[in-house]
């Protein structure tokens, strides 16, 4: 039975899409890593909790096959903000997230310089006598 579980998870990994715009944060990549970790011995892996393993597979399979998207169709393809799915993908792409992090660092550095007790040249202030 472990071999069957392993093959089911492999098939799910093959079907699960990879989002190249989310390097290091992609759910498909994470799923592949977790399956490789959980089934280190491939088909010979001993499953400690078969019921939990089957539940996990069924849950992931439902997500991958869009069961809930079909069961609960949306009236519009936008969120409450009016942002479309494609606009959201663009905003969450790794490149844009890194750019946002750089902007935050810029703001943080500015605030630190503004409120720091040290002079800007980095030398410590001399104590007053």
């Amino acid at each position: 039975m472990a071999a069957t579980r392993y093959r089911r998870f492999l098939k799910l990994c093959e079907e699960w899409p990879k989002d190249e715009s989310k390097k290091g944060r992609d759910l498909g990549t994470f799923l592949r890593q977790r399956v490789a970790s959980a089934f280190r011995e491939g088909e010979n892996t001993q499953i400690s909790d078969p019921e939990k393993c089957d539940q996990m597979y069924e849950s992931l399979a439902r997500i991958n096959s869009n069961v809930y998207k079909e069961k609960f169709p949306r009236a519009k393809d936008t969120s409450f903000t009016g942002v479309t799915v494609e606009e959201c993908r663009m905003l969450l792409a790794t490149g844009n997230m890194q750019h946002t992090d750089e902007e935050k660092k810029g703001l943080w550095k500015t605030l630190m310089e503004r409120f720091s007790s040290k002079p800007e040249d980095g030398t410590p202030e001399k104590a007053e006598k």
Side-chain angles (χ1 to χ4, degrees):
M1 192 66 177
T4 302
R5 285 185 179 93
Y6 176 67
R7 282 188 236 118
R8 288 173 58 194
F9 270 99
L10 283 183
K11 185 170 177 11
L12 182 65
C13 287
E14 289 173 7
E15 294 172 358
W16 201 284
K18 282 176 82 173
D19 189 342
E20 296 297 330
S21 71
K22 294 182 181 174
K23 295 209 185 286
R25 302 177 301 116
D26 176 51
L27 183 58
T29 302
F30 177 76
L31 175 64
R32 287 167 180 80
Q33 291 168 348
R34 289 295 304 251
V35 168
S37 175
F39 290 93
R40 287 192 179 132
E41 297 175 29
E43 293 183 352
N44 298 322
T45 302
Q46 296 298 315
I47 307 296
S48 62
D49 189 347
E51 187 176 320
K52 185 176 179 181
C53 181
D54 292 343
Q55 287 175 345
M56 180 65 69
Y57 172 80
E58 294 300 328
S59 295
L60 291 168
R62 282 191 300 270
I63 292 169
N64 189 48
S65 61
N66 289 321
V67 167
Y68 300 106
K69 181 179 180 183
E70 293 170 14
K71 189 174 181 178
F72 304 104
R74 298 176 60 131
K76 296 181 180 180
D77 285 335
T78 61
S79 66
F80 71 95
T81 62
V83 176
T84 65
V85 172
E86 190 55 37
E87 290 169 332
C88 191
R89 277 195 184 108
M90 288 175 43
L91 290 170
L92 294 175
T94 299
N96 286 336
M97 297 295 286
Q98 287 172 344
H99 180 69
T100 303
D101 288 345
E102 288 171 10
E103 287 178 356
K104 286 179 188 175
K105 287 178 189 173
L107 176 61
W108 179 251
K109 185 177 179 181
T110 302
L111 290 171
M112 288 301 293
E113 288 173 354
R114 186 173 295 162
F115 297 109
S116 176
S117 61
K118 295 180 182 178
E120 288 190 27
D121 66 0
T123 57
E125 293 181 15
K126 293 182 181 175
E128 300 280 329
K129 291 186 179 182

